[in-house]
Short mmCIF file of all heavy atoms in Angstrom, two decimals:
data_model
loop_
_atom_site.label_atom_id
_atom_site.label_comp_id
_atom_site.label_asym_id
_atom_site.label_seq_id
_atom_site.Cartn_x
_atom_site.Cartn_y
_atom_site.Cartn_z
N VAL A 613 16.23 -10.26 11.52
CA VAL A 613 15.92 -9.21 10.59
C VAL A 613 15.11 -8.12 11.27
O VAL A 613 14.37 -8.40 12.25
CB VAL A 613 15.17 -9.77 9.35
CG1 VAL A 613 13.79 -10.35 9.78
CG2 VAL A 613 15.00 -8.76 8.24
N ARG A 614 15.23 -6.87 10.82
CA ARG A 614 14.42 -5.79 11.34
C ARG A 614 13.80 -5.04 10.19
O ARG A 614 14.44 -4.78 9.19
CB ARG A 614 15.28 -4.85 12.23
CG ARG A 614 15.79 -5.45 13.48
CD ARG A 614 16.35 -4.41 14.46
NE ARG A 614 17.63 -3.92 14.08
CZ ARG A 614 17.99 -2.61 14.03
NH1 ARG A 614 17.09 -1.68 14.28
NH2 ARG A 614 19.20 -2.25 13.66
N PHE A 615 12.48 -4.68 10.36
CA PHE A 615 11.70 -4.06 9.32
C PHE A 615 11.36 -2.65 9.71
O PHE A 615 11.12 -2.34 10.87
CB PHE A 615 10.41 -4.85 9.05
CG PHE A 615 10.62 -6.17 8.34
CD1 PHE A 615 9.55 -7.09 8.29
CD2 PHE A 615 11.79 -6.52 7.71
CE1 PHE A 615 9.68 -8.28 7.65
CE2 PHE A 615 11.92 -7.75 7.05
CZ PHE A 615 10.87 -8.62 7.01
N PRO A 616 11.18 -1.74 8.71
CA PRO A 616 10.81 -0.35 9.00
C PRO A 616 9.33 -0.18 9.27
O PRO A 616 8.53 -1.03 8.89
CB PRO A 616 11.23 0.38 7.69
CG PRO A 616 11.05 -0.67 6.62
CD PRO A 616 11.48 -1.96 7.29
N ALA A 617 9.00 0.95 9.87
CA ALA A 617 7.61 1.19 10.25
C ALA A 617 6.86 1.86 9.09
O ALA A 617 6.51 3.03 9.08
CB ALA A 617 7.53 2.11 11.46
N ASP A 618 6.63 1.06 8.03
CA ASP A 618 5.85 1.53 6.89
C ASP A 618 5.17 0.34 6.20
O ASP A 618 5.40 -0.82 6.56
CB ASP A 618 6.70 2.35 5.89
CG ASP A 618 7.84 1.57 5.32
OD1 ASP A 618 7.69 0.37 5.00
OD2 ASP A 618 8.92 2.19 5.12
N ARG A 619 4.34 0.61 5.22
CA ARG A 619 3.54 -0.42 4.61
C ARG A 619 4.40 -1.52 3.92
O ARG A 619 3.94 -2.64 3.74
CB ARG A 619 2.56 0.22 3.60
CG ARG A 619 1.61 -0.75 2.86
CD ARG A 619 0.78 -1.56 3.87
NE ARG A 619 0.02 -2.61 3.20
CZ ARG A 619 -1.28 -2.60 3.01
NH1 ARG A 619 -2.00 -1.58 3.42
NH2 ARG A 619 -1.87 -3.65 2.45
N SER A 620 5.62 -1.15 3.51
CA SER A 620 6.45 -2.17 2.88
C SER A 620 6.67 -3.40 3.73
O SER A 620 6.85 -4.50 3.22
CB SER A 620 7.82 -1.51 2.51
OG SER A 620 8.61 -1.30 3.67
N SER A 621 6.59 -3.23 5.06
CA SER A 621 6.92 -4.37 5.94
C SER A 621 5.86 -5.44 5.82
O SER A 621 6.16 -6.63 6.05
CB SER A 621 7.06 -3.87 7.37
OG SER A 621 8.28 -3.12 7.46
N PHE A 622 4.60 -5.07 5.59
CA PHE A 622 3.57 -6.08 5.37
C PHE A 622 3.92 -6.94 4.15
O PHE A 622 3.81 -8.15 4.19
CB PHE A 622 2.22 -5.42 5.19
CG PHE A 622 1.06 -6.37 5.08
CD1 PHE A 622 0.55 -6.96 6.23
CD2 PHE A 622 0.47 -6.63 3.88
CE1 PHE A 622 -0.52 -7.83 6.17
CE2 PHE A 622 -0.62 -7.50 3.79
CZ PHE A 622 -1.11 -8.10 4.94
N GLU A 623 4.41 -6.26 3.10
CA GLU A 623 4.81 -7.00 1.89
C GLU A 623 6.09 -7.82 2.16
O GLU A 623 6.25 -8.89 1.60
CB GLU A 623 5.05 -6.01 0.76
CG GLU A 623 3.83 -5.20 0.40
CD GLU A 623 2.64 -6.07 0.03
OE1 GLU A 623 2.80 -7.08 -0.63
OE2 GLU A 623 1.49 -5.70 0.45
N HIS A 624 6.99 -7.28 3.00
CA HIS A 624 8.21 -8.05 3.36
C HIS A 624 7.81 -9.34 4.09
O HIS A 624 8.42 -10.37 3.89
CB HIS A 624 9.07 -7.23 4.28
CG HIS A 624 9.64 -6.00 3.67
ND1 HIS A 624 9.72 -5.81 2.31
CD2 HIS A 624 10.21 -4.88 4.22
CE1 HIS A 624 10.28 -4.61 2.05
NE2 HIS A 624 10.57 -4.05 3.20
N GLY A 625 6.77 -9.28 4.92
CA GLY A 625 6.32 -10.48 5.61
C GLY A 625 5.77 -11.50 4.61
O GLY A 625 6.04 -12.70 4.78
N LYS A 626 5.06 -11.04 3.62
CA LYS A 626 4.58 -11.96 2.60
C LYS A 626 5.73 -12.55 1.78
O LYS A 626 5.73 -13.73 1.42
CB LYS A 626 3.58 -11.26 1.68
CG LYS A 626 2.26 -10.88 2.40
CD LYS A 626 1.14 -10.55 1.46
CE LYS A 626 1.37 -9.24 0.76
NZ LYS A 626 0.18 -8.86 -0.08
N ALA A 627 6.77 -11.72 1.52
CA ALA A 627 7.95 -12.19 0.81
C ALA A 627 8.69 -13.23 1.64
O ALA A 627 9.23 -14.22 1.06
CB ALA A 627 8.88 -11.04 0.49
N LEU A 628 8.70 -13.08 2.94
CA LEU A 628 9.32 -14.10 3.82
C LEU A 628 8.60 -15.42 3.67
O LEU A 628 9.25 -16.50 3.59
CB LEU A 628 9.28 -13.60 5.28
CG LEU A 628 9.67 -14.63 6.35
CD1 LEU A 628 11.09 -15.10 6.16
CD2 LEU A 628 9.49 -14.01 7.73
N ALA A 629 7.27 -15.39 3.66
CA ALA A 629 6.51 -16.63 3.52
C ALA A 629 6.86 -17.29 2.16
O ALA A 629 6.97 -18.49 2.06
CB ALA A 629 5.02 -16.34 3.63
N ALA A 630 6.97 -16.46 1.14
CA ALA A 630 7.24 -17.01 -0.22
C ALA A 630 8.66 -17.60 -0.25
O ALA A 630 8.86 -18.69 -0.83
CB ALA A 630 7.12 -15.90 -1.28
N ALA A 631 9.60 -16.90 0.35
CA ALA A 631 11.00 -17.47 0.41
C ALA A 631 11.06 -18.79 1.16
O ALA A 631 11.75 -19.70 0.74
CB ALA A 631 11.95 -16.42 1.04
N ALA A 632 10.35 -18.86 2.28
CA ALA A 632 10.34 -20.10 3.02
C ALA A 632 9.67 -21.24 2.23
O ALA A 632 10.19 -22.38 2.23
CB ALA A 632 9.55 -19.89 4.34
N LYS A 633 8.63 -20.89 1.52
CA LYS A 633 7.96 -21.94 0.70
C LYS A 633 8.89 -22.41 -0.42
O LYS A 633 8.98 -23.63 -0.71
CB LYS A 633 6.65 -21.36 0.14
CG LYS A 633 5.87 -22.37 -0.71
CD LYS A 633 4.56 -21.76 -1.18
CE LYS A 633 3.74 -22.81 -2.00
NZ LYS A 633 2.48 -22.22 -2.47
N ASP A 634 9.61 -21.48 -1.03
CA ASP A 634 10.54 -21.84 -2.12
C ASP A 634 11.57 -22.85 -1.61
O ASP A 634 12.00 -23.72 -2.39
CB ASP A 634 11.26 -20.58 -2.65
CG ASP A 634 10.34 -19.67 -3.43
OD1 ASP A 634 9.22 -20.08 -3.81
OD2 ASP A 634 10.73 -18.49 -3.65
N LEU A 635 12.01 -22.67 -0.36
CA LEU A 635 13.07 -23.54 0.17
C LEU A 635 12.52 -24.74 0.94
O LEU A 635 13.31 -25.56 1.43
CB LEU A 635 13.95 -22.69 1.10
CG LEU A 635 14.75 -21.58 0.46
CD1 LEU A 635 15.43 -20.74 1.54
CD2 LEU A 635 15.78 -22.11 -0.54
N GLY A 636 11.20 -24.84 1.05
CA GLY A 636 10.62 -25.93 1.84
C GLY A 636 10.86 -25.81 3.31
O GLY A 636 10.90 -26.84 4.02
N ARG A 637 10.97 -24.61 3.79
CA ARG A 637 11.21 -24.37 5.22
C ARG A 637 9.92 -24.31 6.01
O ARG A 637 8.93 -23.73 5.54
CB ARG A 637 11.92 -23.05 5.47
CG ARG A 637 13.39 -22.97 5.07
CD ARG A 637 14.30 -23.78 5.97
NE ARG A 637 15.64 -23.37 5.70
CZ ARG A 637 16.40 -23.85 4.68
NH1 ARG A 637 15.85 -24.72 3.86
NH2 ARG A 637 17.60 -23.42 4.50
N ASN A 638 9.91 -24.89 7.17
CA ASN A 638 8.85 -24.74 8.15
C ASN A 638 9.32 -23.62 9.09
O ASN A 638 10.20 -23.83 9.92
CB ASN A 638 8.61 -26.02 8.91
CG ASN A 638 7.52 -25.87 9.97
OD1 ASN A 638 6.76 -24.92 9.95
ND2 ASN A 638 7.45 -26.88 10.88
N VAL A 639 8.70 -22.44 8.91
CA VAL A 639 9.18 -21.25 9.59
C VAL A 639 8.16 -20.79 10.63
O VAL A 639 6.95 -20.81 10.41
CB VAL A 639 9.42 -20.12 8.55
CG1 VAL A 639 9.61 -18.78 9.22
CG2 VAL A 639 10.64 -20.47 7.70
N ALA A 640 8.65 -20.34 11.79
CA ALA A 640 7.84 -19.69 12.79
C ALA A 640 8.36 -18.27 12.96
O ALA A 640 9.57 -18.02 13.01
CB ALA A 640 7.92 -20.43 14.13
N VAL A 641 7.45 -17.29 13.05
CA VAL A 641 7.78 -15.87 13.06
C VAL A 641 7.40 -15.25 14.39
O VAL A 641 6.29 -15.43 14.87
CB VAL A 641 7.15 -15.13 11.90
CG1 VAL A 641 7.26 -13.65 12.09
CG2 VAL A 641 7.75 -15.56 10.58
N LEU A 642 8.33 -14.49 14.95
CA LEU A 642 8.06 -13.76 16.17
C LEU A 642 8.37 -12.26 15.93
O LEU A 642 9.53 -11.85 15.79
CB LEU A 642 8.94 -14.26 17.32
CG LEU A 642 8.66 -13.75 18.71
CD1 LEU A 642 7.25 -14.09 19.16
CD2 LEU A 642 9.67 -14.36 19.71
N GLY A 643 7.33 -11.43 15.83
CA GLY A 643 7.46 -10.01 15.68
C GLY A 643 7.74 -9.38 17.04
O GLY A 643 7.25 -9.88 18.07
N SER A 644 8.41 -8.26 17.08
CA SER A 644 8.92 -7.70 18.34
C SER A 644 8.58 -6.22 18.46
O SER A 644 9.09 -5.41 17.67
CB SER A 644 10.40 -7.91 18.40
OG SER A 644 11.02 -7.23 19.51
N THR A 645 7.73 -5.85 19.44
CA THR A 645 7.45 -4.45 19.72
C THR A 645 7.03 -4.24 21.14
O THR A 645 6.45 -5.12 21.76
CB THR A 645 6.34 -3.92 18.79
OG1 THR A 645 6.30 -2.46 18.91
CG2 THR A 645 4.97 -4.44 19.16
N ASP A 646 7.36 -3.07 21.71
CA ASP A 646 6.74 -2.58 22.90
C ASP A 646 5.67 -1.57 22.52
O ASP A 646 5.60 -1.13 21.34
CB ASP A 646 7.76 -1.92 23.80
CG ASP A 646 8.75 -2.88 24.41
OD1 ASP A 646 8.43 -4.11 24.46
OD2 ASP A 646 9.81 -2.43 24.87
N LEU A 647 4.78 -1.23 23.42
CA LEU A 647 3.68 -0.32 23.12
C LEU A 647 4.04 1.10 23.62
O LEU A 647 5.18 1.51 23.49
CB LEU A 647 2.40 -0.89 23.69
CG LEU A 647 2.01 -2.30 23.26
CD1 LEU A 647 0.59 -2.63 23.68
CD2 LEU A 647 2.17 -2.47 21.76
N THR A 648 3.07 1.80 24.17
CA THR A 648 3.28 3.22 24.50
C THR A 648 4.43 3.42 25.49
O THR A 648 4.49 2.74 26.53
CB THR A 648 2.01 3.79 25.11
OG1 THR A 648 0.91 3.60 24.22
CG2 THR A 648 2.16 5.30 25.38
N HIS A 649 5.31 4.35 25.18
CA HIS A 649 6.36 4.79 26.10
C HIS A 649 5.89 6.12 26.66
O HIS A 649 5.92 7.13 25.97
CB HIS A 649 7.69 4.97 25.34
CG HIS A 649 8.32 3.69 24.92
ND1 HIS A 649 7.67 2.75 24.11
CD2 HIS A 649 9.55 3.16 25.13
CE1 HIS A 649 8.44 1.73 23.86
NE2 HIS A 649 9.61 1.94 24.47
N TYR A 650 5.45 6.09 27.90
CA TYR A 650 4.79 7.29 28.47
C TYR A 650 5.66 7.87 29.62
O TYR A 650 6.22 7.16 30.40
CB TYR A 650 3.44 6.90 29.06
CG TYR A 650 2.61 8.09 29.45
CD1 TYR A 650 1.62 8.58 28.60
CD2 TYR A 650 2.83 8.80 30.66
CE1 TYR A 650 0.87 9.68 28.92
CE2 TYR A 650 2.08 9.92 30.96
CZ TYR A 650 1.08 10.38 30.09
OH TYR A 650 0.37 11.48 30.42
N GLY A 651 5.71 9.20 29.62
CA GLY A 651 6.38 9.88 30.72
C GLY A 651 7.47 10.81 30.29
O GLY A 651 7.82 10.92 29.12
N GLN A 652 8.03 11.53 31.25
CA GLN A 652 9.07 12.51 30.94
C GLN A 652 10.31 11.91 30.32
O GLN A 652 11.00 12.56 29.50
CB GLN A 652 9.41 13.30 32.21
CG GLN A 652 8.23 14.10 32.75
CD GLN A 652 8.59 14.85 34.04
OE1 GLN A 652 9.68 14.72 34.56
NE2 GLN A 652 7.62 15.66 34.51
N ASN A 653 10.63 10.68 30.71
CA ASN A 653 11.80 10.05 30.10
C ASN A 653 11.66 9.87 28.60
O ASN A 653 12.67 9.79 27.89
CB ASN A 653 12.02 8.65 30.69
CG ASN A 653 12.52 8.68 32.13
OD1 ASN A 653 12.84 9.75 32.63
ND2 ASN A 653 12.52 7.54 32.77
N PHE A 654 10.41 9.84 28.09
CA PHE A 654 10.18 9.62 26.67
C PHE A 654 9.60 10.85 25.97
O PHE A 654 9.30 10.80 24.77
CB PHE A 654 9.19 8.46 26.51
CG PHE A 654 9.64 7.20 27.25
CD1 PHE A 654 8.87 6.72 28.30
CD2 PHE A 654 10.80 6.55 26.93
CE1 PHE A 654 9.26 5.59 29.01
CE2 PHE A 654 11.20 5.40 27.58
CZ PHE A 654 10.42 4.93 28.64
N GLY A 655 9.43 11.94 26.72
CA GLY A 655 8.89 13.17 26.10
C GLY A 655 7.49 13.04 25.64
O GLY A 655 7.06 13.68 24.67
#
């Protein structure tokens, strides 16, 4: 799944926990980001 860069994603994460609990799932979450993209290639 991919989430947008806004406050809704924090709530989406909480909804994921609720969905996993509803189903009795033991879930591990790995969020994915790089940090600053610096230089002329990135403007």
Side-chain angles (χ1 to χ4, degrees):
V613 63
R614 293 192 286 131
F615 287 167
D618 60 40
R619 181 58 189 251
S620 70
S621 291
F622 186 77
E623 301 304 320
H624 295 341
K626 293 196 289 186
L628 171 61
K633 184 177 181 180
D634 291 345
L635 295 173
R637 288 287 194 281
N638 179 13
V639 168
V641 168
L642 189 60
S644 172
T645 191
D646 291 341
L647 303 190
T648 305
H649 290 56
Y650 191 98
Q652 295 179 356
N653 289 351
F654 308 114

